[in-house]
Amino acid sequence: MPATNTTLRTLSADEVLASLKDLRARQPVQYSAFYSSQLGGIVTDPALMVLPFDDHMVHRGHGIFDTAAIVNGRIYDLEAHLDRFLGSAERSRLTLPGSRAEMRNIIIRTTAVSGRREGAIRYWLSSGPGSLELSPAAGATPGFFVMVFAGLSYPDRWYTEGLRVMTTTYPIKPPLYAVTKATNYLPNVLMQMEAKAAGLDNGVFMDPAGNVGESSNMNLAFVTSDGVLRHPKFEHVLAGCTSLRLLELAPALIGRGLLTGVEVCDIPVDDARGAREMLLLGSSVKVAPVVEWDGRPIDDGLPGPVARALLQLLDNDMRTSDRLIDVPY
Ligand SMILES: Cc1ncc(COP(=O)(O)O)c(C=O)c1O
């Protein structure tokens, strides 16, 4: 910010562009390509990846998003992510800027322009600019944005040693908002910051009935002492595409003697604390073992075999399943 005794100048368009480039030079990011319906195309210079300030998604959080992974030059499970995206749009009363096929096509073509063969694609739908009101501006054009970037990365230690988590002091989102992937992540952000401030890796939301919810940007699952993989119901947590896929893949572990069953049910916190394994699941984290929760070890406090086996199943699916879309680089 300029010092208080500096004159505040009105900037020219060139000066604004120079400042945006300077900002990105000081704060390098790994954003490879960005499509904006408002700009009418794709840009690859991160300084140009911008939105109008009065876009409703920016100042009111009236927008939704989703993220799919790029694995070995192909996009994984995009249809499942688009299903959820469209569900979030409907619940948020957002108008689609085009058909599902058009949005899918823009996602694939933006990925191709990025040249990225490993990473993530995040895409947003906003109700558009035009006012600072609560309801969208009259005649506002919905915005569609696609960002291709390096993806979120987590320490190797999470997989080799496991994570340490705490029950958050922040309340879980009410079900309608928890199942909608809107740009309102304040509880999720505060939960993760709280855990990090306590020297831990992440937080755990509880629902008002005392059942386990989810983590910041990941689902939670447990392996009971008798070998059942248990996942919370999707009524009060986000329906994670990773969780939904793993629930389909996990029965393969029953035959291998690692699991005795797979269940989606309410999980009271006391039952969860007695689990043999506790897992975090998500597109970015994939499958990571939790070894300590609220200062108490999960079982023997070591990563367990189901976490490892599920990670292998998922890794394999991400490289070989029929849920991969080729990118025309
Ligand atoms: C709150 C929340 N829960 C769960 C997940 C896991 O979902 P997915 O497996 O689709 O990444 C995410 C990530 O999108 C999330 O933000």
Side-chain angles (χ1 to χ4, degrees), residues 65-67 81 84 181 185 188 214-219 238-243 281-284:
F65 73 105
D66 220 296
T67 314
H81 286 275
R84 187 170 67 187
K181 204 161 162 62
Y185 262 49
N188 313 56
E214 61 186 335
S215 186
S216 58
N217 56 336
M218 305 159 194
N219 287 107
L238 192 74
C241 297
T242 316
S243 288
L281 314 173
S283 298
S284 55

Side-chain angles (χ1 to χ4, degrees), residues 163-175:
L163 290 96
R164 293 160 62 228
V165 300
M166 63 178 279
T167 304
T168 182
T169 61
Y170 292 100
I172 192 170
K173 290 176 190 169

